[in-house]
Amino acid sequence: MKNENRKTEIINTASKLFKEKGYSAVTMRDLAKEMGIKAASLYNHITSKQEILSVLIISLAEEFTEGMTVIINSNNNCVEKLKQIINLHITITSNNQFGMASLNNDWMHLEATLSYYLELRKNYEDNFREIIKKGISNNEIINENAEVIVFSILSTLRSLYIWLPIKEELNIFKLTKNLNNILLNGISK
């Protein structure tokens, strides 16, 4: 159990450094220094910086995939599913802002797990697109270009990690309500 906690601590510290400096600029020495240990000690818990990045990104991508699977399989209408997706993004991002920076900015540095990540991402986007198309077809969503709708909403949700304040009192319920209203209803009076 202690090894697992140390590995989690290494991954969390690395995710913070990756957000601050970018994956490529962070060395194992930087990580060890930030943790107050010797670089060689890191290898008792992880095999490489690449392993850290892979664990970080793949775990988040799988969390999004699991959430999307639940949403897709629900009996809710398309607008309700979109609301659930917005909540999913807010929840995951608020719990892991540093990791979300790597998911969005460093995924191209994945090596052994890159194709798996790209498959997860493609499936997620395809499911999102299908909800939009079905919503248009069911007359729940305005009949506009589905790709523009997908791009508009996902771009906002993917960049939440940049905007979200780092506060303990973040009111996820209120933020979800606000984003649902703006992203799904627009800003016109």
Side-chain angles (χ1 to χ4, degrees), residues 142-159:
I142 59 171
N143 190 5
E144 291 288 341
N145 185 319
E147 292 303 317
V148 172
I149 296 171
V150 169
F151 170 76
S152 299
I153 296 174
L154 273 183
S155 294
T156 298
L157 296 176
R158 285 181 174 154
S159 62

Side-chain angles (χ1 to χ4, degrees), residues 18-131:
F18 294 165
K19 182 179 187 229
E20 291 170 357
K21 298 180 176 188
Y23 171 77
S24 297
V26 175
T27 66
M28 293 300 275
R29 281 195 170 101
D30 294 332
L31 178 55
K33 183 179 177 186
E34 183 74 18
M35 295 187 69
I37 61 175
K38 294 182 184 206
S41 298
L42 292 171
Y43 294 102
N44 292 327
H45 307 282
I46 51 128
T47 58
S48 65
K49 187 171 87 165
Q50 180 61 215
E51 178 192 0
I52 295 169
L53 185 69
S54 182
V55 168
L56 183 61
I57 290 176
I58 296 301
S59 65
L60 285 168
E62 288 175 341
E63 191 174 350
F64 277 109
T65 299
E66 290 166 12
M68 179 62 88
T69 300
V70 169
I71 293 166
I72 287 290
N73 291 326
S74 75
N75 292 323
N76 292 323
N77 66 37
C78 295
V79 171
E80 286 303 312
K81 287 180 180 183
L82 290 173
K83 288 179 181 180
Q84 290 176 304
I85 290 170
I86 291 168
N87 185 56
L88 176 70
H89 276 263
I90 291 170
T91 301
I92 292 173
T93 302
S94 66
N95 290 329
N96 199 338
Q97 294 175 38
F98 298 132
M100 289 301 297
S102 287
L103 180 73
N104 286 291
N105 302 324
D106 299 321
W107 61 267
M108 70 288 300
H109 298 292
L110 290 172
E111 294 170 2
T113 56
L114 179 60
S115 60
Y116 176 59
Y117 167 74
L118 291 174
E119 178 185 335
L120 291 174
R121 181 177 173 152
K122 181 187 179 310
N123 290 340
Y124 186 90
E125 289 173 358
D126 288 347
N127 285 326
F128 194 99
R129 189 174 293 104
E130 285 307 308
I131 292 170

Side-chain angles (χ1 to χ4, degrees), residues 153-187:
I153 296 174
L154 273 183
S155 294
T156 298
L157 296 176
R158 285 181 174 154
S159 62
L160 279 173
Y161 75 94
I162 298 169
W163 179 82
L164 276 180
I166 302 174
K167 296 181 184 176
E168 289 182 23
E169 72 268 2
L170 175 67
N171 186 327
I172 291 177
F173 176 76
K174 193 180 251 184
L175 179 59
T176 300
K177 184 178 177 204
N178 290 158
L179 272 179
N180 278 330
N181 190 36
I182 292 168
L183 292 176
L184 301 180
N185 300 327
I187 60 171

